[in-house]
Amino acid sequence: MKTQSIQYFLIPIFLLLLSPIVRAQESSKSLFNDNWQFIKGDHSFNDITDSNITWNQVNVPHDWSINEEFNPDLASGTGFLPGGIGWYKKEFELENFSKEKKYAIYFDGIYKNSEVWINGEYLGKHPNGFIPFQYDLTPYLKENNNIILVKANHSDFADSRYYTGSGIYRNVYLKEQNKIHFSQWGVFFSTPEISQNKAIGKVEIELENHSEDDAKLSIEAVLRNEKDSIINQTRSALVARPQRENYLDLALEIDNPNLWSPETPNLYHLEVSIKEGDKTLETWTENVGIRSFEFTANEGFFLNGKNTLIKGVCIHHDAGALGAAVPEAVWRKRLETLKELGANAIRMSHYPHQDYLYDLADELGFLVQDEAFDEWEYHKNKWIEGWNVGTPGNEGLYNDFQKWAVKDLQAMVRRSRNHPSIFMWSIGNEIDYPNDPYSHPVLDEGRNPQIYGKGYQEDNPPVSHLAKLSNELVHAVKMYDKTRPVTAALAGVTMSNETNYPSNLDIVGYNYQEYRYKEDHEKYPERVIYGSENGDALNAWLAVKENDYISSQFLWTAFDFIGEAREWPSRSSGAGIIDLAGKPKPDFYFRKSLWNNEPMAYIGVTDSEKNVHRRTNIEESWTGDDGETKWVTAYANTDEVELFLNGESLGKKEVAYKNDKMIAWEIPFEKGELLIKAYNKNEKVAEHQLTTPGSVAELHIEKSKKAVYKEGDKEIIHVDILLTDDTGNRIVNDDREVSITIDGPAVLLGLESGDLSSHENYQAKKRKTYKGQLRGYIQTSGEKGDIKISINSPGLSEKVVTY
């Protein structure tokens, strides 16, 4: 029997700085990303080791699919981009190589079916491309001329409902350790007791002794605040037995703790050291946070004792032109945009994401749902011709579920359980999607809307399977973390309610089923229900705001993403409120008016009243023919808004949204200035203006204080290009081709316009703007020297930017 209140205490984070931004846990762990070689093709191992083969020089993370051409003969689900087979090679020497040390290679993710060799010796295979793993290199290493080979087999490219990328598309680390060292993910920090005046930090340690004898050790834990002052420290003796794992728990008392939350993401600095006499064998360093939270069946979610609405968004791991190999700095800027929105939570749909994303969530202040799988023992439909069009494919990771699911799930948990941002583990997304593949006779009853299919399909697998499988997965999580609830995102609650699947979960996510909230809350009064995936309709948010027992909305989605596309020529999903380039779309500002308390106002223009109330085809431009009927809408979070056209007031309106009725003015078009003013208690607190532009006159480079982001010894420069008239007004209906050349120690990573149907090659140094804008991503090499960026478009003056 579930209790009505589920309380959890925690929490930490995983954040050793190898450089100002790159992080690792152990002192023995360093990035291993540079100077790899790559070749694509189904080569044999003997061919790959042939000295005559021609390799291409690359650094990882590297996604080979994003470098290829879009092709209508491929799969809409994965963005009409190819998969294939790729090989990577890295030759390296080890400084201070010692046979008294242990060496390992750690991959944060390789998509997919990766196989790894060191000096010709086979290390193993890992099918799931989203899961981190490592191999012991020690028995096979030489002091000089070591060669690592990696094969990634993504030949079944239509294997997903969304873009995955291909290859070593996440960070790689080399570990150099003493024979006595921390186990992989072998430090777990939690806070089982928290009050306003005191918290108890529990540090659970696993370490390995690969020597032949007992080792008399001392384990020391030190906790510092953000000013690097020691808050507390403790030490304990341990006799480490040989050839086995050894365990120890330590406790740290924290007076007057500074609690972590999205508003105040306070972090402490934890160091755990293994010492043998006066010698430090290894140090584990990470930032940790302290906070408590509670889910209740009747009153929702409480963070640090405060009732909190979860304003969440779902994300995929790609970023347009960069594919799945996205630099951390790019995601930092994207998350900053989400903070501007007013979001306080992220759902990592539908797989574990890049390691650094969790660090950023801790630092910037986002609650995180981490999610393991999109399918379990059976395949889901993978659309080839377009979403819900034609005959779907059935490739996918389900083939390896029986053997790998528990190991992969536990790897997800152990890797990320020290992050204060994570507040729930999801074991699956829409596994119970009706008739895709599971079915149940309740689908014939017609009591509730169905998402997919035509009633009960007796030849499909029975939904009863999900009860047994979910029970096993929940227990697999709790073996390594009991401080957070285990959940899943349910799509077919009507079916799942006929099983023990929901009752196996601590909290139950409902995808697009706001209509079931009231009925199920009454029928299952002890069930904690939350919105795990939701559309952007106003009533989906009101279902959270107006029902105390519903704590959250996770909007689908924050960003447009490659894949899950409609029919060709579309090759990406436009579900986001932010486009592929990370630029807000009009609906971003509608959501901001709901989620952000900072006074704001926004004008949108469209051609029909229906578009206004459905919030479709809204444009950020005041253009048209004289006298043409236009509909103007406003998004604001104030008491009233007033519209002006060329200085003349067109009237005030109360800021009150209804499900099918937004704020609107019907007016004839007239060139000039359209202005909205927003008022609280008759005082103007915000405004937004649109001006009719002239013809394209120049390339405008949008300056931003946060255009340049440090990433280790390199930088990522965001270059935002707008087409404007001669007075700086953006032009959205006359797109032009733009080219970029770079002189100096930097390279162009990609150009992104946000156009969902553009088939331009992402590796080209030119691209057409979309709605008058384009974003360029430039990465510096870390070498000294000026960087000159020249931006050109036919018929327009060249713009030069120097960094």
Side-chain angles (χ1 to χ4, degrees):
M1 180 72 71
K2 292 280 192 282
T3 61
Q4 287 193 339
S5 173
I6 308 171
Q7 292 186 327
Y8 299 88
F9 298 93
L10 216 87
I11 283 175
I13 178 170
F14 155 83
L15 204 100
L16 187 167
L17 301 184
L18 290 172
S19 62
I21 288 189
V22 177
R23 300 149 179 121
Q25 285 178 312
E26 301 95 327
S27 59
S28 54
K29 181 178 174 183
S30 57
L31 276 175
F32 206 52
N33 285 346
D34 292 343
N35 300 315
W36 287 77
Q37 295 174 290
F38 172 74
I39 188 171
K40 189 178 176 186
D42 188 11
H43 303 282
S44 69
F45 183 82
N46 288 337
D47 288 341
I48 285 298
T49 55
D50 190 324
S51 60
N52 293 319
I53 197 166
T54 301
W55 294 84
N56 299 305
Q57 192 77 22
V58 298
N59 292 329
V60 301
H62 173 256
D63 172 9
W64 80 65
S65 288
I66 202 65
N67 299 334
E68 303 288 339
E69 300 286 342
F70 295 99
N71 187 330
D73 294 330
L74 299 174
S76 63
T78 46
F80 294 107
L81 283 168
I85 296 173
W87 286 84
Y88 294 86
K89 180 173 74 170
K90 184 176 174 75
E91 300 183 35
F92 65 100
E93 296 182 1
L94 289 168
E95 294 184 11
N96 304 315
F97 173 75
S98 171
K99 294 185 178 180
E100 297 304 310
K101 291 187 176 182
K102 297 283 290 183
Y103 299 87
I105 189 166
Y106 177 104
F107 296 95
D108 193 47
I110 303 174
Y111 204 88
K112 67 176 187 175
N113 293 315
S114 64
E115 296 179 87
V116 182
W117 291 259
I118 179 68
N119 295 330
E121 300 290 339
Y122 186 69
L123 297 179
K125 180 176 182 177
H126 200 103
N128 191 324
F130 302 116
I131 300 295
F133 59 93
Q134 74 176 34
Y135 294 117
D136 182 15
L137 303 178
T138 311
Y140 316 112
L141 282 180
K142 301 177 291 185
E143 185 172 0
N144 300 309
N145 301 321
N146 295 287
I147 300 176
I148 287 180
L149 288 171
V150 177
K151 178 183 180 182
N153 187 341
H154 187 195
S155 53
D156 54 343
F157 60 89
D159 61 335
S160 173
R161 300 186 304 116
Y162 37 79
Y163 180 75
T164 62
S166 301
I168 306 179
Y169 67 155
R170 295 186 181 175
N171 284 329
V172 183
Y173 301 91
L174 182 69
K175 291 184 177 182
E176 181 180 322
Q177 300 175 301
N178 291 292
K179 287 189 175 181
I180 299 170
H181 60 260
F182 293 109
S183 301
Q184 185 180 17
W185 306 311
V187 171
F188 180 30
F189 176 86
S190 61
T191 47
E193 298 179 35
I194 300 176
S195 69
Q196 184 176 354
N197 300 322
K198 186 176 73 172
I200 301 297
K202 182 180 179 182
V203 186
E204 300 173 53
I205 297 159
E206 302 171 33
L207 61 86
E208 300 172 16
N209 179 2
H210 291 276
S211 68
E212 300 299 322
D213 303 309
D214 288 354
K216 294 181 179 180
L217 307 173
S218 62
I219 311 299
E220 182 180 65
V222 179
L223 191 69
R224 291 182 169 86
N225 63 17
E226 59 183 6
K227 296 179 181 179
D228 207 33
S229 299
I230 293 178
I231 299 300
N232 207 339
Q233 58 188 0
T234 187
R235 180 184 290 213
S236 181
L238 173 68
V239 177
R241 306 301 179 188
Q243 305 304 317
R244 55 175 285 183
E245 288 188 336
N246 297 266
Y247 302 91
L248 179 70
D249 290 352
L250 297 174
L252 291 162
E253 188 171 303
I254 304 108
D255 292 330
N256 303 311
N258 293 320
L259 301 183
W260 184 97
S261 72
E263 295 76 25
T264 57
N266 298 309
L267 296 172
Y268 289 87
H269 192 67
L270 176 69
E271 289 183 2
V272 184
S273 299
I274 304 172
K275 296 178 180 288
E276 189 172 33
D278 295 331
K279 182 180 180 182
T280 299
L281 301 181
E282 188 171 40
T283 300
W284 181 296
T285 308
E286 56 187 326
N287 285 345
V288 299
I290 300 168
R291 47 87 163 127
S292 66
F293 64 91
E294 177 184 10
F295 286 94
T296 71
N298 291 319
E299 297 179 280
F301 176 70
F302 292 80
L303 179 63
N304 299 326
K306 179 183 177 182
N307 192 254
T308 301
L309 290 181
I310 300 167
K311 303 170 184 177
V313 293
C314 303
I315 64 171
H316 276 302
H317 65 172
D318 62 296
L322 305 172
V326 187
E328 178 178 349
V330 173
W331 265 112
R332 175 179 286 275
K333 188 171 180 65
R334 286 180 149 218
L335 295 190
E336 288 172 349
T337 303
L338 293 182
K339 293 298 283 189
E340 177 192 342
L341 175 70
N344 63 10
I346 297 170
R347 178 182 176 215
M348 302 292 191
S349 46
H350 303 296
Y351 40 81
H353 285 226
Q354 298 97 322
D355 56 4
Y356 62 74
L357 258 176
Y358 303 88
D359 297 316
L360 290 173
D362 295 330
E363 177 188 340
L364 297 176
F366 288 96
L367 296 161
V368 170
Q369 182 207 87
D370 211 11
E371 192 159 72
F373 306 116
D374 191 45
E375 58 189 8
W376 289 353
E377 59 179 340
Y378 295 108
H379 68 83
K380 285 184 178 178
N381 291 326
K382 314 298 192 317
W383 298 103
I384 308 297
E385 299 173 52
W387 187 66
N388 284 352
V389 175
T391 302
N394 60 12
E395 299 292 346
L397 292 170
Y398 69 94
N399 286 313
D400 300 295
F401 180 84
Q402 184 174 359
K403 179 179 178 182
W404 285 93
V406 168
K407 288 183 284 188
D408 286 346
L409 177 61
Q410 291 179 333
M412 178 189 84
V413 171
R414 283 170 62 81
R415 177 189 74 161
S416 297
R417 61 185 173 172
N418 282 343
H419 288 280
S421 54
I422 295 178
F423 74 135
M424 62 175 89
W425 302 113
S426 172
I427 57 175
N429 170 65
E430 297 186 347
I431 307 300
D432 62 340
Y433 204 95
N435 296 321
D436 188 13
Y438 296 96
S439 198
H440 188 277
V442 73
L443 296 179
D444 281 336
E445 295 183 12
R447 294 188 298 114
N448 296 288
Q450 291 180 36
I451 300 172
Y452 177 81
K454 300 177 179 179
Y456 175 50
Q457 305 292 303
E458 62 180 8
D459 293 333
N460 284 26
V463 75
S464 58
H465 282 207
L466 302 185
K468 176 179 181 295
L469 293 173
S470 62
N471 186 58
E472 292 174 357
L473 295 175
V474 168
H475 280 87
V477 172
K478 291 184 181 292
M479 183 180 296
Y480 289 105
D481 183 15
K482 295 183 177 69
T483 70
R484 298 174 177 88
V486 181
T487 187
L490 274 55
V493 179
T494 301
M495 288 197 315
S496 291
N497 281 344
E498 302 296 318
T499 75
N500 287 331
Y501 181 20
S503 63
N504 287 338
L505 305 170
D506 297 313
I507 59 176
V508 185
Y510 282 43
N511 281 16
Y512 306 104
Q513 291 172 89
E514 295 86 2
Y515 67 91
R516 291 202 60 86
Y517 287 168
K518 185 177 186 296
E519 177 183 342
D520 279 17
H521 177 60
E522 293 174 353
K523 188 174 182 180
Y524 309 101
E526 295 189 349
R527 179 181 293 179
V528 176
I529 300 171
Y530 72 97
S532 45
E533 184 173 316
N534 310 88
D536 66 354
L538 176 62
N539 60 2
W541 174 240
L542 294 179
V544 180
K545 194 172 181 181
E546 296 177 356
N547 293 298
D548 290 342
Y549 57 89
I550 300 297
S551 61
S552 73
Q553 179 182 64
F554 281 92
L555 191 69
W556 188 263
T557 58
F559 301 92
D560 290 348
F561 57 93
I562 302 174
E564 204 168 1
R566 304 287 174 170
E567 294 177 82
W568 182 273
S570 174
R571 45 79 173 176
S572 299
S573 169
I577 58 174
I578 304 169
D579 71 16
L580 287 168
K583 296 293 191 71
K585 295 154 71 172
D587 221 33
F588 174 95
Y589 298 98
F590 170 69
R591 184 61 41 176
K592 184 176 180 179
S593 74
L594 299 177
W595 283 3
N596 197 318
N597 294 326
E598 201 65 34
M600 56 82 62
Y602 175 85
I603 309 174
V605 181
T606 188
D607 293 329
S608 75
E609 184 178 15
K610 181 175 68 174
N611 287 344
V612 167
H613 299 316
R614 292 184 178 180
R615 305 196 329 274
T616 56
N617 298 316
I618 305 296
E619 297 292 344
E620 302 176 79
S621 180
W622 182 237
T623 57
D625 297 325
D626 286 344
E628 179 186 358
T629 297
K630 293 289 183 179
W631 285 85
V632 179
T633 189
Y635 305 143
N637 56 4
T638 59
D639 296 336
E640 293 180 306
V641 288
E642 185 175 11
L643 184 66
F644 297 83
L645 178 58
N646 292 325
E648 180 182 349
S649 174
L650 302 180
K652 284 187 177 181
K653 292 184 182 289
E654 180 188 5
V655 176
Y657 302 151
K658 296 181 180 178
N659 286 332
D660 297 314
K661 192 170 181 63
M662 302 298 293
I663 301 167
W665 290 266
E666 182 184 15
I667 62 176
F669 177 78
E670 177 184 308
K671 290 182 181 179
E673 178 186 276
L674 197 64
L675 174 69
I676 197 87
K677 294 182 180 181
Y679 304 94
N680 278 333
K681 298 179 180 178
N682 295 318
E683 178 185 353
K684 189 188 79 170
V685 291
E687 64 178 37
H688 183 217
Q689 174 184 314
L690 297 176
T691 301
T692 306
S695 57
V696 176
E698 68 172 334
L699 297 168
H700 175 72
I701 312 305
E702 210 169 38
K703 295 286 186 180
S704 168
K705 290 188 296 184
K706 294 185 177 179
V708 181
Y709 288 78
K710 279 280 188 183
E711 181 156 305
D713 58 349
K714 301 176 183 179
E715 292 177 332
I716 298 292
I717 302 170
H718 293 72
V719 178
D720 288 320
I721 304 161
L722 301 180
L723 298 179
T724 69
D725 64 13
D726 55 9
T727 59
N729 295 307
R730 177 181 158 200
I731 295 167
V732 301
N733 56 3
D734 187 8
D735 285 305
R736 307 291 181 90
E737 186 175 85
V738 175
S739 62
I740 289 185
T741 57
I742 300 171
D743 293 318
V747 295
L748 177 67
L749 295 181
L751 292 170
E752 179 56 70
S753 67
D755 185 353
L756 302 175
S757 298
S758 168
H759 304 128
E760 299 162 280
N761 189 302
Y762 270 138
Q763 301 310 300
K765 295 182 179 179
K766 61 183 180 180
R767 194 171 193 85
K768 194 174 183 181
T769 60
Y770 179 64
K771 295 187 175 180
Q773 60 186 4
L774 188 65
R775 171 166 282 177
Y777 300 103
I778 294 168
Q779 184 177 55
T780 68
S781 67
E783 299 173 8
K784 292 183 178 180
D786 290 339
I787 297 167
K788 178 183 174 184
I789 303 169
S790 302
I791 305 165
N792 288 277
S793 184
L796 301 177
S797 298
E798 180 181 67
K799 284 296 178 76
V800 177
V801 182
T802 302
Y803 288 91

